[in-house]
Amino acid sequence: MRKTIAYSIANITQFKKAALQWSQQFDEVTWLDSNNHTSKYSSFDALLAVDGLTAFVTDAKNAFHDFKEYQNTTKDWLFGYVSYDLKNDVEHLSSSNLDNLHFPELYFYQPKKIIKIVGGTAEFIYLNMVDDEIEKDFTAISSLVLEEDKNEVSQDIKIKMRIFKDEYFRKVNKMLAYIQRGDIYEANFCQEFYAENTEIKPLKVFNKLNAISEAPFATFLKVQDKYVLSASPERYLKKTGNTLLSQPIKGTAKRSKNAAEDKELKDHLSQDEKERAENIMIVDLVRNDLSKSATKGSVKVEELCKVYSFEQVHQMVSTVTAEISSEKNVVEVLKETFPMGSMTGAPKVSAMEIIEELESFKRGLYSGAVGYITPEQDFDFNVIIRSILFNATEKYVSYAVGGAITAKAIPEKEYEECLIKAKAMRQVLESR
């Protein structure tokens, strides 16, 4: 059982920064920030969960089955992540590429303390065992002196590419050969950028990344010595009552500081036949995934190929909804739709096999999802893209970017799109 006390907050921006800084004392931290991207699909402005009472950690083998048991047992708020390599639990697949991050493949915990920020109010939702600490914690956050973000975020950092441009072209051309042969229609091909023997200051890195990106699904996740610092613009899947909502992204264009040129870039993206074709293919895949859980005839496309503007890029987003039975288990819904279509391809299993063959790193949490499940069986998960992953013990920093390869793909343009997507992460890590 939990106790909830709500406080009116005069300066929400200040309070959010203070709450995240205060959270750093705990081994488990999940911070989800909408960055004021409010819509009819929003549930909060920010959500913070810290200090696990119980936790469930596993590799891919029987992951969803065992996680379902844990979720049914706790019947409480759960925060955590599912990594891309849980594909091996969903299908007869494997992951053998290089992994220097060593994140568990699934990690969820039951937090003792949750702070939910909506409008000008902060709700402290604490387990009864710690509810006597609510007032003390509210006072501590409210009176916290914020650390300066001007200091360096890392030591001298040397970012390396896992594959170089020529090899990228060779691999994309091989993927195009699979497409021309009819094995797949589309696949998301990704590459890793990394730094070894490197220490960063995770909170400072996140604050800088969040400041320049202001993404609607920003995430700071800390699990002991492992961190996810995410400026994700994409929602994987949300459940509210009996309604499912997925918002896949396919289609990217750079921004311009010149207003007229920026509008031209946005308009060009909205009319780009290749980008629209990529998006529509993934929408069809998402519709098929949702139909596994949905009641018959309930899957609908609410928005198709709508262009949204973010700080760094324009993105083409579609919105797909479905209705499910109230008896349907939430973990089963996740399993039936995972991994998300925007990060795999079509047909899905063939695309994942080819991705595993051609990519040079194990995706792990990249292109997985971070989110939460409520006691009422609602949930919301993002897609981990535009994200920096850090293993503090291994001193290893990684970020990956990718894009959809279709029959019309031009390797040089796909490579340029990758660099556009990588710009914010590189800028933050190299900033002094």
Side-chain angles (χ1 to χ4, degrees), residues 182-276:
D183 295 325
I184 52 172
Y185 305 108
E186 175 177 3
N188 191 285
F189 178 63
C190 302
Q191 58 176 314
E192 182 194 24
F193 296 79
Y194 67 98
E196 299 169 295
N197 299 314
T198 297
E199 294 183 25
I200 64 172
K201 298 175 180 175
L203 181 58
K204 290 185 183 296
V205 171
F206 173 76
N207 284 338
K208 291 205 172 195
L209 181 63
N210 196 42
I212 64 174
S213 300
E214 295 186 349
F217 301 101
T219 300
F220 178 99
L221 177 76
K222 174 188 176 186
V223 177
Q224 281 83 44
D225 62 340
K226 300 173 183 69
Y227 295 83
V228 180
L229 317 169
S230 176
S232 175
E234 183 171 0
R235 170 180 273 130
Y236 155 43
L237 194 63
K238 178 174 183 172
K239 176 181 177 289
T240 308
N242 291 340
T243 300
L244 294 179
L245 169 76
S246 184
Q247 294 181 291
I249 289 177
K250 269 288 162 277
T252 304
K254 65 182 179 181
R255 298 294 308 267
S256 172
K257 292 179 180 178
N258 179 286
E261 184 183 11
D262 194 57
K263 183 179 184 302
E264 189 177 316
L265 289 164
K266 182 177 180 180
D267 292 344
H268 182 267
L269 175 60
S270 69
Q271 296 160 23
D272 189 304
E273 288 186 13
K274 173 188 170 291
E275 302 283 20
R276 290 182 67 88

Side-chain angles (χ1 to χ4, degrees), residues 18-226:
L20 182 54
Q21 183 175 309
W22 167 85
S23 74
Q24 300 305 298
Q25 64 188 288
F26 300 103
D27 287 333
E28 302 93 3
V29 179
T30 307
W31 170 257
L32 307 173
D33 193 344
S34 70
N35 282 302
N36 300 316
H37 287 272
T38 54
S39 72
K40 62 182 178 180
Y41 308 121
S42 301
S43 299
F44 54 80
D45 295 323
L47 191 61
L48 174 65
V50 300
D51 198 13
L53 173 66
T54 66
F56 178 73
V57 190
T58 187
D59 59 14
K61 187 177 181 182
N62 297 321
F64 284 106
H65 174 272
D66 295 344
F67 178 45
K68 179 180 172 182
E69 289 189 355
Y70 173 69
Q71 192 266 331
N72 281 334
T73 301
T74 56
K75 292 184 170 63
D76 193 14
W77 286 87
L78 298 176
F79 287 74
Y81 67 80
V82 285
S83 74
Y84 172 79
D85 296 283
L86 291 186
K87 65 184 174 62
N88 306 333
D89 186 38
V90 179
E91 306 289 350
H92 294 295
L93 299 169
S94 62
S95 300
S96 56
N97 288 330
L98 181 69
D99 175 21
N100 284 333
L101 282 165
H102 307 303
F103 278 65
E105 290 179 332
L106 182 148
Y107 193 111
F108 278 85
Y109 65 97
Q110 176 188 11
K112 295 177 186 174
K113 303 178 179 185
I114 299 169
I115 302 174
K116 181 179 180 182
I117 299 170
V118 182
T121 301
E123 295 180 12
F124 283 62
I125 308 167
Y126 279 33
L127 285 173
N128 287 351
M129 62 188 295
V130 291
D131 65 14
D132 60 340
E133 298 178 23
I134 291 178
E135 189 172 342
K136 173 177 70 74
D137 289 348
F138 171 69
T139 301
I141 295 169
S142 301
S143 59
L144 197 65
V145 177
L146 293 177
E147 293 177 2
E148 286 286 334
D149 281 334
K150 293 178 182 177
N151 298 335
E152 64 182 30
V153 299
S154 65
Q155 61 185 29
D156 288 335
I157 189 165
K158 183 171 176 56
I159 296 169
K160 303 176 184 176
M161 293 181 287
R162 182 63 59 196
I163 58 174
F164 293 99
K165 188 187 286 189
D166 288 349
E167 189 175 0
Y168 176 88
F169 291 162
R170 182 178 64 78
K171 288 175 178 285
V172 170
N173 282 321
K174 190 167 184 181
M175 190 169 275
L176 285 168
Y178 280 120
I179 293 170
Q180 287 153 8
R181 201 171 76 177
D183 295 325
I184 52 172
Y185 305 108
E186 175 177 3
N188 191 285
F189 178 63
C190 302
Q191 58 176 314
E192 182 194 24
F193 296 79
Y194 67 98
E196 299 169 295
N197 299 314
T198 297
E199 294 183 25
I200 64 172
K201 298 175 180 175
L203 181 58
K204 290 185 183 296
V205 171
F206 173 76
N207 284 338
K208 291 205 172 195
L209 181 63
N210 196 42
I212 64 174
S213 300
E214 295 186 349
F217 301 101
T219 300
F220 178 99
L221 177 76
K222 174 188 176 186
V223 177
Q224 281 83 44
D225 62 340
K226 300 173 183 69

Side-chain angles (χ1 to χ4, degrees), residues 380-406:
D380 200 0
F381 286 86
N382 69 3
V383 179
I384 291 298
I385 53 176
R386 320 292 156 79
S387 304
I388 296 166
L389 307 181
F390 176 49
N391 184 320
T393 302
E394 301 285 343
K395 296 184 178 180
Y396 188 82
V397 178
S398 169
Y399 62 90
V401 291
I405 307 302
T406 63

